[in-house]
Amino acid sequence: MKKWILAVAISAALMGCANDTPRETVLPEGVTLIENVKVADSEIGIAYKKYQLANGLTVILHQDTSDPLVHVDVTYHVGSARELAGRSGFAHLFEHMMFQGSQNVADEQHFKVVTEAGGTLNGTTNSDRTNYFETVPSNQLEKMLWLESDRMGFFLPALTSEKFEVQRETVKNERAQRIDNRPYGRMSERFAQALYPAGHPYSWPVIGWPEDLDRATLDDVKHFFQRWYGPNNATLTIGGDFDELQTLAWVNQYFADIPAGPAVQAPSKIPVTLNESRYISMEDKVHLPLLYIGMPTVHAGHPDEAPLDLLANIIGGGKTSLLYKNLVKDGYAVQSSVSHPCQELACQFTLYALANPAMGGKLADLETKIDESIAEFEQRGVTDDDLQKVKVQFEADTIFGMQSVRGKVSTLAANQTFYDNPNMVASDLARYSKVTKADVMRVFNTYIKGKPRVVMSVVPEGQTQLVAKEDNFTPVPLAVAKDAVTGLTEVKQDNELKQVSSSFDRSKMPQAGKAPQLNVPELWTATLSNGIEVMATQSHETPTVELVIYLEGGHRSAPIDKAGLAQLTAQMMNESSSKRSAEELANALEMLGSTINFDSGKSQAYVQVSSLTKNLAATLEIVNERLFSPAFNAADFERVKQQQLQNLQHLMSDPNYLASNGFSALLYGKSTAMGSSNLGTIESLNAITLEDVKAFYQQQYTAGNAKMVLVSDLAKQQVLPMLETFSQWQGKASPIAPINKRLYAAPATIYLIDKPGAAQSVINIGRRSLSYDATGEYFKATLMNYPLGGAFNSRINLNLREDKGYTYGARSSFQGQKDSGEFLASASVRSDVTGAALTEFINEIRHYQQAGMSADELAFLRNSITQGQALDYETPRQKASFIRRIQRYQLDNQFTQQQTEIINSITLDELNSLAASQLDIDSMLFLVVGDKQTIEPQLKTLGYPIEIIEQP
C-alpha cells in the first residue's frame, strides 16, 4: 500500500490526482477502461482503475497488497426511495431474498460457501442503494465472482413461494427486534412521515410498513428484480490483493453475458419545505423523555452540505458545543446532539435531547433551551477554532476510514453510485477546507433561523403532560400503488425465466487458488522504567496510532454495595483535569483529530487512544493530564452520576439488557460482581460519593495494574521514548477477589422476566462453563460449537430463522474469561412462538449433545476457521485486540499456528466427546424476557418449573 504523508496542503492533493492513461493493455473483449487514477505518496486518496462491460456493469479495481485478502462489493442503485406508496419494504426484503440461492447455487449455500472459504459477508439496504459484500482470503476471489454473478443474472429461476414466505417472516422478525421491541425504535419512521410530504420516497421506512409487506406477492418480487437488478444499475468494486488482468478476465467471464436490464435514470432531487412547524408525539416504553427536532435542508453533494455539517458541529457536536453547555452541563438533559445527515435526494438538520427527569423532564423546557442555544450561536458567530477543529476531524475521519480495504471499497462504490465519480476523497477534503465563517452564517440564515420544523416528543407511557406541544399534524393516508414497480417495459414469464442460459457451465463452483501466506503481526515488547509492559506492532497502512492502556480490576474491584463505582470513576476521568475544564480538553483533542476514552468493564478498566501519528506527542500529553491530574469536581460528579442513573433506568426498559443482566445474576448471584451490572443499581449508585470515586481512583489507576498495547506506523525506537512519559506512574497491583463457584439458580428451570406488551421474547439458555484458553479444552469447545450455533448456517440458526421463521437470528457460543466462562444460546423470537422456539432450542442442543457433529460439519469448520485467519489482523484495532489477547493470557506469539494444527488434527470423536460433556441441556438455565400474559401459557406446556423474576 502507498505511504501517507499528511503534511501537504489539500490543494496539492487535488492537483496531484491525475487520470493517467496507461500504456495499451490487451483487455478482454467487451471491457473498456474508463479511467486510471493514481495517487502519489504525498496525497490523500484511493488509487483505482474503472472499467465498464458492454452490458453496462461498472467495475472498479483497487489494489492493496498489505493483507492477503480481497473485499468484493456489488452495489445496486436501488433502495427504498425507488418504491411506491403502499409498496414499501421491497428493497430490503429483496436484500434478504438474494441470499436464498440462485440457478447454480443451492438453497442456503451462499452463506455456507463464503463462510467455509474463511470469509465474512452481508448485505445492507438504505433509502438509496442496496449492496452485497464479502471479505475473503485472496485465493477465494473467483468463487465470490461466481456467487455474485449467479444471483445477478440467474436468481429468478430459483425463486419459490416457500423462500419468499420465510424471508417475509424473517423481515417481520427483524422489524420486531430492531424497531418494535426497542426503546424509541419507532421514532424515526414517525418523524419521517411528518418531515417529508406525503408520497415522498423518504416518508416511509426502509424496512417497510408491516401492512405493505403483507400485501406483497411473489410476482411483485420478481418484477422488482427485473426492474432494478440489471448490471447496468450496478457497480462491482474489488479491493485487495489480486492479479489485475486475471481478475478482469474472471469479471468478464462471469458477468459479461448477463443481459442489461431496463434503463435506469438517477432520481431527481426532491426539495422539501415546510409551511409551518409540525408537532407530533408518541408514548413508548421508555424512561427518558426525548425531544427530536428536524428541518429540511439540501441534498448530498450540494454546495451547502459542508457548511451545514460544520454548523451542526458547532451547535451540538460534543462537549465544546452550545447544546452541551446549555443542556447537558446544566443538567437539563442527559444527552444531546446535533447532526446533518444527508441522503441522495434530501438532507435534514436534526437536534435531539434526552431530558433529565430529575429536572422535571418537560420537553417544552428543552425546546426553549434549544432555541436559546440557536439564538446564542447567532450572537456568538463562528470562531477560527470552530472551523479548524471540524476540518481536522473530517481529515482524521477520512484517514481512519481507510484503515480497512472494506472502508476504501465502500467509499469508491458509494461515490461511483451517487456521483458517477469514485475519485472524491481529495475533493471532499477540499470542499470542507474551503468553508468560511460567512458560509456557515449564510446557511444558518437560509435553512435554520426562524424556519418551520418538525418537533417530535417521545414520552414514557402515561406521561403525555411532558410533550413539547399538542400534536398538530396527522399523516395523510395514501392510495396503494397498483404495481410494485414502474418502468418495467418487458415482463418475463416463468417459462422464460427457467430457460436462462450461459456461455459456459456455471453449475461448477470454481476451485480456490493456492492459500495465501498469512501475515501475522510481528510483535515487539518493552518494559517502561516503572515496570509497565508494552506489546506492540508496526503497521504502515495509515499514519495513525492506536494505544490501549488496560488496568486489571474494573467492576470486580469495587465493593458490591457500591456497584457502578468503576464505571462512574472511568467517566469522571473523561471530565475536567486540575489544569483544564472538560470543554477545554475536548477542544484540544478536536484540534488534533484525536480521541481519548476512559471506560470500565467487568474485570478491567481501560484507556483507548486514537491519534494521527503527527499529533501523537500532543495527544499523549492530554492522556497524561487526564490520567494523573483528574479534578474530580463536585459539579462534574453530580452530573455524571445523574447521567449514569438515568442511563441505567433507560436500559431497564430494554429487554436485551434485562436478559443479559438477569442471566448473569442467575449464573453468578446478583450480590456478586460477576452477577451484577457494571452500571450498578439505583440503590448502589445513590450510595456512591465523590470520596468513593477518589478512593477507587487511587486503587484502580496504578502502574501495577496497567499494561499497554500499541499499533503504529512508527518503529519501536521512534515511539518507545514517547511512552516513557508514563514512567512517572507509580502504585502496586490491586488484588481481585476470586469468583465464587457456588450455583445460584436451579438448572432445568424457566426463569421469566415480565416485559408487558413486548413485541418479542428474548431467550437465553446456558450455564457456567470453561474459562478461556487458546489451545486447550475451551478452544476446542468453541470448535465443537461452530456447527451448532457459531456460524450463520449453523443448526440453530437454520432451524429457528430459515426453516421456522421464528427469529431474525439465533446463535450459541462459549464465552471465556481468565477465571470464568459461560455457554450461552440466545435469540429474540416472536412472542406468539416463544414456547415453540424454546422447544426447538432444547431439541437442537440435546440432539447435538447426544449425536454430535457430522464429518461434513467437521470439514466445514476446518475450512472456515483456518482460512478465516487471513481476515483477523487487517485493521489497527484488530491488531490491537490480537496483541492484547497474547499479552493478557501470556500466550505464545505463534499461538495461532498451534490453533491451526489443532483444527487440522482434532478428531470427530474428541469434538463429540466435548459436546457430550459440555452441552447437557438438563444442567442449563432458561431465561425468557417477554410479555408474561402472552408467553407464560406457552411455557407451562413444556413441563419445566417456572419462576417469575421481579425486575430490579
Side-chain angles (χ1 to χ4, degrees):
M1 174 182 282
K2 68 180 187 63
K3 295 179 182 177
W4 292 67
I5 301 176
L6 301 179
V8 298
I10 291 171
S11 58
L14 271 175
M15 291 189 297
C17 290
N19 294 355
D20 298 334
T21 302
R23 287 175 293 181
E24 187 172 349
T25 302
V26 178
L27 298 176
E29 184 178 353
V31 178
T32 303
L33 175 64
I34 305 298
E35 61 179 344
N36 177 12
V37 172
K38 298 179 180 180
V39 180
D41 285 352
S42 60
E43 299 164 5
I44 302 174
I46 308 172
Y48 67 89
K49 291 182 181 178
K50 174 179 168 183
Y51 300 87
Q52 193 168 64
L53 304 191
N55 58 10
L57 177 68
T58 298
V59 181
I60 300 171
L61 302 183
H62 163 69
Q63 289 191 301
D64 175 357
T65 59
S66 58
D67 293 286
L69 55 84
V70 290
H71 183 79
V72 178
D73 178 290
V74 181
T75 296
Y76 295 89
H77 197 171
V78 55
S80 59
R82 302 278 196 182
E83 296 163 353
L84 304 175
R87 299 290 191 159
S88 66
F90 269 93
H92 176 256
L93 174 61
F94 206 85
E95 175 210 317
H96 281 253
M97 297 302 303
M98 286 280 276
F99 287 98
Q100 299 310 302
S102 49
Q103 181 170 302
N104 301 292
V105 181
D107 299 355
E108 315 301 344
Q109 288 302 293
H110 202 109
F111 272 97
K112 184 178 187 299
V113 168
V114 177
T115 306
E116 190 169 21
T120 61
L121 72 160
N122 212 333
T124 67
T125 308
N126 63 28
S127 57
D128 305 307
R129 63 100 184 101
T130 305
N131 73 333
Y132 305 87
F133 50 87
E134 301 88 14
T135 306
V136 293
S138 53
N139 64 320
Q140 303 286 346
L141 175 56
E142 184 184 7
K143 198 178 296 181
M144 299 306 106
L145 299 176
W146 171 72
L147 286 170
E148 288 294 355
S149 66
D150 209 66
R151 64 179 170 186
M152 177 186 285
F154 306 88
F155 168 76
L156 290 181
L159 180 59
T160 65
S161 58
E162 292 77 14
K163 292 179 184 179
F164 170 63
E165 292 300 339
V166 168
Q167 292 312 307
R168 173 156 50 187
E169 287 304 310
T170 300
V171 170
K172 289 181 181 179
N173 287 323
E174 180 181 1
R175 179 187 167 85
Q177 180 176 325
R178 292 186 170 181
I179 296 176
D180 300 330
N181 212 39
R182 176 175 292 181
Y184 312 107
R186 291 176 289 123
M187 178 187 72
S188 294
E189 60 188 28
R190 288 282 311 280
F191 181 83
Q193 281 185 300
L195 182 67
Y196 296 106
H200 189 285
Y202 290 167
S203 65
W204 48 75
V206 173
I207 202 168
W209 298 115
E211 57 270 23
D212 292 354
L213 291 170
D214 285 337
R215 69 168 58 95
T217 68
L218 186 61
D219 281 342
D220 290 336
V221 173
K222 292 177 181 178
H223 297 160
F224 194 87
F225 177 84
Q226 291 173 7
R227 177 66 183 95
W228 300 114
Y229 273 74
N232 51 308
N233 195 36
T235 298
L236 167 64
T237 309
I238 304 169
D241 188 8
F242 57 84
D243 179 273
E244 182 180 344
L245 289 179
Q246 177 62 78
T247 298
L248 278 176
W250 284 334
V251 169
N252 192 54
Q253 175 185 351
Y254 290 109
F255 289 90
D257 61 0
I258 300 173
V264 177
Q265 301 298 322
S268 301
K269 314 303 181 189
I270 308 176
V272 177
T273 57
L274 295 171
N275 295 325
E276 60 181 0
S277 291
R278 296 174 175 177
Y279 284 82
I280 58 174
S281 64
M282 181 180 80
E283 296 179 66
D284 201 358
K285 300 179 188 302
V286 297
H287 169 68
L288 300 174
L290 184 148
L291 186 72
Y292 196 75
I293 299 174
M295 287 158 274
T297 58
V298 290
H299 57 78
H302 189 282
D304 287 345
E305 179 187 9
L308 281 163
D309 285 350
L310 269 65
L311 174 64
N313 190 279
I314 295 167
I315 295 178
K319 289 185 176 180
T320 60
S321 69
L322 295 171
L323 246 61
Y324 183 87
K325 175 177 72 75
N326 296 335
L327 274 69
V328 179
K329 189 80 171 177
D330 290 347
Y332 291 97
V334 174
Q335 190 180 103
S336 70
S337 185
V338 180
S339 61
H340 183 238
C342 270
Q343 298 162 272
E344 184 176 16
L345 308 182
C347 308
Q348 52 182 282
F349 194 89
T350 61
L351 311 91
Y352 86 88
L354 284 166
N356 185 353
M359 298 285 280
K362 290 187 177 180
L363 297 179
D365 294 341
L366 279 192
E367 186 180 10
T368 299
K369 288 288 180 184
I370 289 173
D371 286 340
E372 290 173 353
S373 299
I374 293 173
E376 182 179 345
F377 165 77
E378 184 179 14
Q379 292 297 315
R380 196 205 76 163
V382 184
T383 68
D384 291 336
D385 277 2
D386 288 335
L387 292 181
Q388 181 63 21
K389 69 186 180 184
V390 175
K391 293 171 184 178
V392 170
Q393 286 175 343
F394 188 82
E395 177 191 32
D397 289 345
T398 299
I399 294 170
F400 280 111
M402 295 183 188
Q403 290 182 327
S404 70
V405 67
R406 175 181 172 180
K408 291 179 288 183
V409 164
S410 298
T411 298
L412 292 169
N415 286 338
Q416 170 60 35
T417 299
F418 298 128
Y419 306 108
D420 194 29
N421 178 18
N423 185 29
M424 294 185 63
V425 173
S427 59
D428 275 343
L429 285 167
R431 71 185 172 111
Y432 279 83
S433 179
K434 292 175 181 176
V435 173
T436 66
K437 297 177 184 179
D439 290 331
V440 178
M441 295 308 300
R442 175 178 53 77
V443 297
F444 170 74
N445 290 316
T446 303
Y447 304 103
I448 309 303
K449 180 184 176 182
K451 300 301 179 183
R453 59 198 185 187
V454 174
V455 182
M456 183 172 188
S457 303
V458 184
V459 298
E461 289 180 328
Q463 297 189 42
T464 55
Q465 77 278 5
L466 299 178
V467 301
K469 191 176 288 187
E470 185 178 348
D471 289 20
N472 65 359
F473 172 79
T474 303
V476 177
L478 298 171
V480 177
K482 178 182 177 183
D483 298 312
V485 297
T486 59
L488 185 60
T489 56
E490 180 185 359
V491 178
K492 294 182 180 180
Q493 302 304 313
D494 285 349
N495 62 330
E496 297 176 276
L497 299 175
K498 293 176 181 177
Q499 298 172 1
V500 179
S501 59
S502 180
S503 58
F504 65 99
D505 184 2
R506 289 180 174 265
S507 65
K508 295 179 180 179
M509 181 170 65
Q511 296 298 307
K514 182 180 178 181
Q517 181 71 35
L518 298 182
N519 296 336
V520 179
E522 293 185 12
L523 308 181
W524 59 262
T525 60
T527 302
L528 303 185
S529 57
N530 57 352
I532 294 178
E533 296 176 19
V534 180
M535 185 170 281
T537 190
Q538 187 176 12
S539 174
H540 296 285
E541 296 187 40
T542 53
T544 58
V545 179
E546 290 289 331
L547 170 68
V548 189
I549 306 171
Y550 293 93
L551 302 110
E552 293 296 330
H555 180 55
R556 286 178 61 181
S557 292
I560 191 62
D561 62 338
K562 299 291 177 69
L565 177 59
Q567 177 70 15
L568 188 55
T569 303
Q571 294 310 310
M572 284 294 292
M573 303 289 285
N574 290 316
E575 295 295 322
S576 305
S577 74
S578 60
K579 302 174 183 178
R580 287 185 281 185
S581 69
E583 293 79 13
E584 290 171 329
L585 288 166
N587 187 68
L589 285 170
E590 289 171 354
M591 295 293 282
L592 296 171
S594 303
T595 60
I596 300 171
N597 183 48
F598 286 74
D599 211 338
S600 183
K602 286 272 189 182
S603 57
Q604 59 185 0
Y606 56 90
V607 189
Q608 186 132 15
V609 183
S610 297
S611 171
L612 299 177
T613 303
K614 63 180 180 179
N615 294 331
L616 177 59
T619 302
L620 291 180
E621 288 181 8
I622 300 175
V623 175
N624 270 267
E625 184 175 338
R626 282 197 158 152
L627 186 59
F628 302 128
S629 307
F632 293 137
N633 293 329
D636 286 344
F637 172 72
E638 291 302 328
R639 174 173 38 79
V640 172
K641 178 178 174 179
Q642 188 60 226
Q643 289 172 344
Q644 191 161 323
L645 274 165
Q646 299 302 338
N647 184 39
L648 177 62
Q649 290 185 273
H650 161 65
L651 286 172
M652 288 166 61
S653 64
D654 185 336
N656 294 293
Y657 174 80
L658 293 175
S660 176
N661 200 43
F663 198 70
S664 294
L666 290 171
L667 291 182
Y668 294 100
K670 64 181 180 180
S671 60
T672 70
M674 289 297 293
S676 60
S677 169
N678 66 318
L679 290 176
T681 65
I682 303 300
E683 294 74 21
S684 68
L685 282 175
N686 280 324
I688 295 173
T689 67
L690 182 56
E691 292 306 310
D692 292 327
V693 168
K694 293 177 180 179
F696 189 77
Y697 163 74
Q698 295 292 337
Q699 169 192 332
Q700 173 73 92
Y701 292 88
T702 67
N705 288 331
K707 292 184 179 181
M708 296 183 180
V709 163
L710 178 79
V711 180
S712 167
D713 63 325
L714 298 174
K716 178 179 180 179
Q717 62 269 25
Q718 294 173 293
V719 73
L720 194 54
M722 295 187 188
L723 298 182
E724 279 297 336
T725 184
F726 295 103
S727 61
Q728 62 175 300
W729 206 354
Q730 299 299 315
K732 297 181 180 179
S734 307
I736 299 176
I739 295 174
N740 194 326
K741 302 297 183 183
R742 167 188 162 194
L743 295 177
Y744 287 84
T749 300
I750 298 174
Y751 295 88
L752 175 58
I753 297 178
D754 187 18
K755 188 75 171 63
Q760 286 194 316
S761 301
V762 181
I763 295 176
N764 279 358
I765 302 170
R767 66 179 185 90
R768 287 169 68 168
S769 186
L770 303 165
S771 58
Y772 177 86
D773 64 58
T775 56
E777 193 173 25
Y778 169 83
F779 173 68
K780 294 173 183 177
T782 64
L783 302 179
M784 174 270 290
N785 174 72
Y786 198 68
L788 173 65
F792 179 88
N793 55 308
S794 67
R795 296 187 185 190
I796 287 173
N797 194 55
L798 288 184
N799 181 344
L800 273 77
R801 171 177 161 142
E802 300 300 309
D803 295 343
K804 302 295 190 307
Y806 290 167
T807 180
Y808 179 55
R811 63 206 60 83
S812 64
S813 64
F814 285 87
Q815 302 169 357
Q817 300 85 41
K818 251 187 173 182
D819 53 0
S820 65
E822 307 87 40
F823 170 78
L824 175 65
S826 62
S828 292
V829 303
R830 295 191 340 244
S831 292
D832 64 315
V833 296
T834 302
L838 183 54
T839 298
E840 293 299 327
F841 259 124
I842 292 169
N843 290 343
E844 286 288 357
I845 295 171
R846 176 176 284 125
H847 178 71
Y848 196 78
Q849 186 234 0
Q850 294 173 351
M853 72 173 70
S854 67
D856 285 346
E857 288 174 322
L858 174 57
F860 169 77
L861 80 86
R862 279 180 174 158
N863 290 329
S864 176
I865 298 176
T866 55
Q867 295 185 100
Q869 290 174 336
L871 281 62
D872 288 346
Y873 328 110
E874 183 190 6
T875 68
R877 290 211 170 176
Q878 286 177 304
K879 288 181 173 72
S881 177
F882 170 75
I883 297 169
R884 174 56 180 166
R885 205 177 320 146
I886 293 175
Q887 183 190 66
R888 188 174 196 204
Y889 297 106
Q890 299 180 321
L891 305 179
D892 187 288
N893 285 10
Q894 302 302 317
F895 81 93
T896 56
Q897 182 178 336
Q898 298 168 25
Q899 289 182 333
T900 300
E901 292 170 358
I902 291 171
I903 295 168
N904 289 330
S905 63
I906 197 166
T907 66
L908 204 57
D909 286 344
E910 188 174 358
L911 289 169
N912 289 342
S913 177
L914 272 171
S917 64
Q918 296 297 323
L919 298 179
D920 177 16
I921 194 70
D922 294 327
S923 68
M924 297 185 191
L925 313 171
F926 313 128
L927 174 67
V928 183
V929 179
D931 181 23
K932 176 174 176 284
Q933 185 174 352
T934 301
I935 66 179
E936 188 176 25
Q938 303 174 44
L939 299 177
K940 285 182 177 179
T941 65
L942 305 186
Y944 290 96
I946 298 177
E947 290 191 23
I948 309 298
I949 301 177
E950 297 299 328
Q951 288 193 39

